[in-house]
Amino acid sequence: MHYLEQLNWRYATKRYNGEPVPETKLQNILEAIKLAPSSLGLQPFEVLVIEDPELREKLAPAAYNQPAITESGALLVFTVWKNITNDQVDAYIDQMARIRQVPVESLDGFKNMILANTEGKSAADLFQWNARQAYIALGYATAAAALEKIDSTPMEGFNPEKVNEILGLDENGTSAVLLLALGFRDEEKDPLAKLPKVRREVSLRELSFNMN
Ligand SMILES: Cc1cc2nc3c(=O)[nH]c(=O)nc-3n(C[C@H](O)[C@H](O)[C@H](O)COP(=O)(O)O)c2cc1C
């Protein structure tokens, strides 16, 4: 199987058949999210996995009752740090020192580089920066799901304030930026299931410079 076949197979699924996502596949998709690159390696987001039907019923009105919220097998909520605190930077530096078995002080230069990027920026700017990292992870998640033959629906169509309130996110300084439904398509009910993809060619230009 070539991965491009699977990327053609995936589509933003509108209707699911309710089957749960097998645990190993779900874990593999979460692992792919973990492996996504992020600016400075900070991973400034968390992913909540919601399988509980009652909680998803509660969330549905906050996402314009998109059927994927309740009909899919699992719902991932990408939540983003609303800020970047010195404690979060310290925790990252400590983890790096531990994993790479180097003294924490040897990472002072790197730590100062991170702080130079975060200090003086408004919380709103840091939030937007953090959100961009979550979108990269979303890309990894949709591609990984396709390779696992799991359907997915990325969703920005929801009210973050309402989702934050239902999930109690405000209290821990995070905010929902993206939802990702995972599961198995219902081909009978989903009018998009058999439609061909609509894509422009991405224009690629090769530039060559003659230095003489
Ligand atoms: C960031 C993002 C947000 C999206 N939000 C929604 C959404 O709220 N509801 C939905 O049904 N599809 C949503 N989509 C899916 C897009 O509409 C879909 O990817 C696009 O039309 C291309 O179609 P395809 O992915 O099926 O090939 C979203 C996609 C992305 C990447």
Side-chain angles (χ1 to χ4, degrees):
M1 179 251 305
H2 192 274
Y3 63 83
L4 286 179
E5 255 174 60
Q6 285 315 110
L7 295 184
N8 262 304
W9 170 85
R10 73 140 292 285
Y11 74 106
T13 305
K14 301 292 180 264
R15 304 298 303 266
Y16 287 85
N17 67 8
E19 262 184 62
V21 180
E23 190 54 29
T24 319
K25 288 178 183 276
L26 183 57
Q27 289 306 324
N28 287 345
I29 295 164
L30 295 173
E31 188 67 15
I33 290 171
K34 191 178 94 184
L35 290 172
S38 64
S39 191
L40 297 166
L42 275 168
Q43 297 175 275
F45 56 85
E46 326 275 336
V47 177
L48 309 177
V49 181
I50 304 181
E51 289 169 291
D52 177 44
E54 257 177 57
L55 184 50
R56 288 199 277 145
E57 285 290 344
K58 230 173 144 185
L59 286 167
Y64 310 105
N65 289 308
Q66 298 193 57
I69 304 289
T70 48
E71 289 178 353
S72 58
L75 182 69
L76 305 191
V77 182
F78 287 72
T79 75
V80 162
W81 302 349
K82 287 204 245 177
N83 209 327
I84 299 177
T85 64
N86 287 356
D87 282 351
Q88 284 163 329
V89 175
D90 280 340
Y92 174 44
I93 294 292
D94 288 348
Q95 185 195 17
M96 183 175 278
R98 214 170 43 247
I99 290 176
R100 295 193 171 158
Q101 300 189 324
V102 293
V104 90
E105 306 74 47
S106 72
L107 299 171
D108 278 352
F110 180 50
K111 179 176 163 179
N112 289 335
M113 193 180 91
I114 297 175
L115 294 176
N117 274 280
T118 57
E119 284 173 354
K121 283 209 175 87
S122 68
D125 282 350
L126 289 172
F127 174 69
Q128 289 305 325
W129 187 32
N130 292 343
R132 288 201 287 275
Q133 316 314 313
Y135 277 73
I136 295 169
L138 173 81
Y140 265 51
T142 51
L147 295 177
E148 293 287 349
K149 285 198 182 296
I150 295 295
D151 284 301
S152 67
T153 321
M155 284 173 277
E156 275 180 327
F158 68 96
N159 180 322
E161 285 82 27
K162 285 194 185 146
V163 168
N164 291 348
E165 194 187 316
I166 294 165
L167 300 177
L169 297 179
D170 287 321
E171 285 123 63
N172 64 8
T174 59
S175 177
V177 291
L178 283 165
L179 306 177
L180 181 68
L182 296 170
F184 296 91
R185 66 188 69 174
D186 184 330
E187 285 198 10
E188 300 291 300
K189 284 197 198 149
D190 194 340
L192 296 185
K194 294 197 173 97
L195 294 183
K197 285 227 168 293
V198 179
R199 292 290 194 274
R200 280 189 299 109
E201 286 306 315
V202 177
S203 53
L204 298 173
R205 239 168 359 125
E206 199 174 313
L207 296 181
S208 57
F209 294 95
N210 186 346
M211 301 303 283
N212 296 319

